[in-house]
Amino acid sequence: MAIIVVAASTRLFLGPLLYFLTCVPAFVLFTVLRRKAAYISLVIAPLLPIIVESIALLTGNFRGGFLVGDIVCLVTALLGLGEERPKERMIRRLGLSGRESRNMVRSLFYTFGRVERIEKVNMSQSYAMVHEGSFHFSVNIPGSGRVNMEIPLCDIEEVAVHQSTSSGDLYYPSLRDMFLPARNIKLVGKPRIQDYFLVVRVAEDAYTFYEEPKTVLELQEEIERERELSVRSKQSPGEPPA
């Protein structure tokens, strides 16, 4: 937080170009490392360029060139806040707080039912975590907005990572990709794509989550570990393990 405060204050004594070269990298670094920052810092960050610009305006130090740096810093800070806000809402709903609790929330994509190929389904953003013997996750329901779901770990009958392989035309990087987001980036140098889905099954219902393999594997391990602990805690001391 101190880094972006100092960087934003350079607006008062540096020129537009030096201010841009100083402030923008600081805000980008802060956004990249947002998981280590307190949530209040994420809320304050977008306000800093506005506050400093207001001070400069009151002191007669307004110059249009500074607005470029202000806008870039403001947008960068808002992007970081937008990613962390749903996580903060989830932990507060569960009575938790702090960056450690917020970092327990994983960002994934969700759909109901099993998935064969990611290209065949529309998946919505979801945030998930394991807490006090339950698996919590959020889903977007048309007409109702974001809804919080809770599944007791003892009710989960299966939690497994499934692999899906699909093929496509081999994509070669072009000059365009140096300046714009790469199209079909998953196909760069790969004639076949392997996707990994976390499937959580409860009775006849199945919930599928998609992210990079590391994320879904870590969540699978956490659910299995906590589910085992939850089952053991419900067994009487003299009862043999199931």
Side-chain angles (χ1 to χ4, degrees):
M1 184 63 185
I3 296 177
I4 59 173
V5 171
V6 173
S9 65
T10 61
R11 161 66 180 85
L12 303 175
F13 53 84
L14 291 181
L17 179 58
L18 291 178
Y19 168 67
F20 182 90
L21 296 177
T22 300
C23 199
V24 171
F27 271 78
V28 170
L29 179 63
F30 175 79
T31 302
V32 171
L33 301 177
R34 64 185 180 275
R35 292 169 61 96
K36 299 182 179 181
Y39 184 71
I40 186 63
S41 299
L42 299 174
V43 175
I44 295 175
L47 301 177
L48 289 178
I50 300 175
I51 293 173
V52 176
E53 193 62 42
S54 300
I55 295 174
L57 183 62
L58 292 174
T59 58
N61 187 22
F62 176 78
R63 291 170 62 183
F66 287 106
L67 294 179
V68 177
D70 292 335
I71 293 173
V72 174
C73 292
L74 176 62
V75 171
T76 302
L78 287 175
L79 289 174
L81 176 61
E83 177 65 24
E84 298 300 314
R85 181 182 297 166
K87 299 179 182 180
E88 183 71 15
R89 289 176 178 172
M90 173 170 279
I91 65 173
R92 288 188 179 183
R93 182 178 62 85
L94 299 176
L96 304 174
S97 62
R99 63 185 183 187
E100 292 81 7
S101 297
R102 196 174 75 245
N103 290 339
M104 293 170 58
V105 182
R106 292 177 171 84
S107 175
L108 312 98
F109 292 95
Y110 159 86
T111 190
F112 182 77
R114 294 181 180 270
V115 174
E116 294 182 2
R117 290 178 55 185
I118 190 172
E119 291 85 356
K120 293 184 177 181
V121 295
N122 292 321
M123 307 189 80
S124 61
Q125 184 72 51
S126 178
Y127 297 89
M129 70 177 298
V130 179
H131 176 63
E132 291 188 346
S134 293
F135 176 50
H136 302 266
F137 61 98
S138 61
V139 299
N140 283 324
I141 298 179
S144 300
R146 186 170 295 276
V147 176
N148 298 307
M149 306 284 289
E150 178 180 353
I151 301 176
L153 295 178
C154 58
D155 292 344
I156 296 178
E157 298 182 3
E158 177 192 6
V159 51
V161 174
H162 294 182
Q163 175 184 304
S164 170
T165 302
S166 57
S167 60
D169 296 332
L170 187 62
Y171 179 76
Y172 296 96
S174 63
L175 184 62
R176 171 192 179 280
D177 298 332
M178 297 179 62
F179 306 98
L180 298 174
R183 293 172 295 184
N184 300 326
I185 190 170
K186 292 171 59 178
L187 288 173
V188 174
K190 299 178 181 178
R192 302 183 69 83
I193 310 171
Q194 291 182 337
D195 293 308
Y196 296 87
F197 303 92
L198 175 66
V199 178
V200 178
R201 186 171 62 85
V202 182
E204 300 300 324
D205 297 328
Y207 306 90
T208 300
F209 300 88
Y210 170 77
E211 245 303 334
E212 61 181 9
K214 179 181 178 182
T215 301
V216 294
L217 288 171
E218 287 179 349
L219 184 55
Q220 177 200 23
E221 292 175 357
E222 182 178 2
I223 293 175
E224 289 179 337
R225 181 176 63 252
E226 295 298 326
R227 183 176 62 168
E228 184 178 352
L229 292 175
S230 178
V231 171
R232 288 181 179 179
S233 65
K234 291 184 177 181
Q235 292 177 343
S236 61
E239 182 181 351

